[in-house]
Amino acid sequence: MADTSQGATMDCILQEIPVVSRRLEGLDSMMTSLTEDTKSMRLDIAGFQSRVTALEQRVTTVETQAVLASDRDQALLYLRNKVIDLEDRSRRDNVRFLGFLENIEGVDVQSFLKSTLPQISGLTFDLPLEFERAHRRGPKRRNGANHPRPIMACFLRHTQDQQLLQKARMQGPFCLNDLQIRMTADFSKETSERRKAFLAL
């Protein structure tokens, strides 16, 4: 009786072995798949790490370039302001006269200004007015009668152009017959724009 029972148990075990074997094969297949997936994930992670490293290097390079560009911008701004300052200094004895009709000065602009400026300003000068140069600015215009070119004059004595500018600021435009004559210091374009913006505030 015991032998019969043991035989039945052995038969059951022998029947289960193929089932267990198939399950083990399935688990082995799953483990192989998991191993391959893990390897693939490791490769992906390594690729991401490589990309992140490359991006970090690029960011570092861009940051360095940004710092260098900022330094260059500061240097360029300094040099630009220096050039503007030098240009303004070189023009400090220049005065622009606006409103003189075309050809009213004849052939000699300096002689015209020497005789006309004391007359329209009412100023007397210790020394006669003298100029390094005086000329119309720019090419002749077709509508010069309505829009005459300014006269540019570089005074030999800085005190004389300052006297005239101060009188013009206090009094306003000078009058020559029916003409309104304005005069301004000859600043660089940048300084003129800054002054306009400041005065508009």
Side-chain angles (χ1 to χ4, degrees):
M1 194 72 178
D3 290 341
T4 304
S5 176
Q6 287 179 353
T9 302
M10 287 299 294
D11 287 341
C12 286
I13 293 172
L14 289 172
Q15 288 175 359
E16 290 294 327
I17 286 175
V19 176
V20 172
S21 178
R22 285 195 296 273
R23 288 180 180 176
L24 287 173
E25 287 175 0
L27 288 172
D28 186 49
S29 176
M30 290 174 63
M31 288 298 295
T32 302
S33 177
L34 284 172
T35 303
E36 290 175 356
D37 289 344
T38 303
K39 286 180 181 178
S40 177
M41 289 176 65
R42 285 178 180 172
L43 290 173
D44 289 343
I45 290 171
F48 287 136
Q49 286 177 336
S50 177
R51 290 180 185 178
V52 168
T53 302
L55 287 172
E56 286 176 345
Q57 290 174 347
R58 289 176 65 183
V59 167
T60 302
T61 302
V62 169
E63 288 175 344
T64 303
Q65 290 175 346
V67 170
L68 292 174
S70 177
D71 291 344
R72 279 196 300 270
D73 289 346
Q74 291 295 323
L76 286 173
L77 180 62
Y78 171 78
L79 291 173
R80 182 171 179 270
N81 289 334
K82 195 76 172 173
V83 169
I84 292 170
D85 180 62
L86 289 171
E87 186 178 353
D88 286 335
R89 287 175 184 273
S90 71
R91 294 179 175 205
R92 71 190 209 114
D93 294 325
N94 290 357
V95 175
R96 285 185 224 179
F97 295 94
L98 308 171
F100 286 121
L101 295 178
E102 289 281 344
N103 302 319
I104 196 174
E105 70 277 10
V107 295
D108 189 350
V109 179
Q110 292 192 26
S111 296
F112 171 75
L113 292 177
K114 285 178 185 178
S115 61
T116 304
L117 292 179
Q119 173 190 340
I120 63 175
S121 67
L123 292 172
T124 55
F125 300 95
D126 295 336
L127 295 170
L129 291 176
E130 290 188 79
F131 306 92
E132 274 189 38
R133 58 189 177 278
H135 56 86
R136 290 276 184 181
R137 180 173 236 176
K140 283 191 175 182
R141 301 170 178 168
R142 290 183 180 178
N143 59 347
N146 296 325
H147 300 282
R149 293 170 295 160
I151 290 178
M152 185 69 62
C154 178
F155 284 73
L156 194 62
R157 299 180 183 87
H158 182 61
T159 53
Q160 292 178 337
D161 64 78
Q162 291 304 302
Q163 280 180 271
L164 282 164
L165 288 168
Q166 185 175 7
K167 184 71 181 288
R169 281 193 291 269
M170 293 173 60
Q171 176 181 316
F174 298 137
C175 293
L176 177 63
N177 300 326
D178 294 331
L179 301 177
Q180 295 282 310
I181 308 301
R182 292 178 173 79
M183 58 182 298
T184 63
D186 181 37
F187 294 111
S188 63
K189 180 182 176 182
E190 291 81 4
T191 301
S192 297
E193 289 174 353
R194 289 175 189 169
R195 286 169 59 86
K196 286 178 185 176
F198 177 77
L199 293 173
L201 294 176

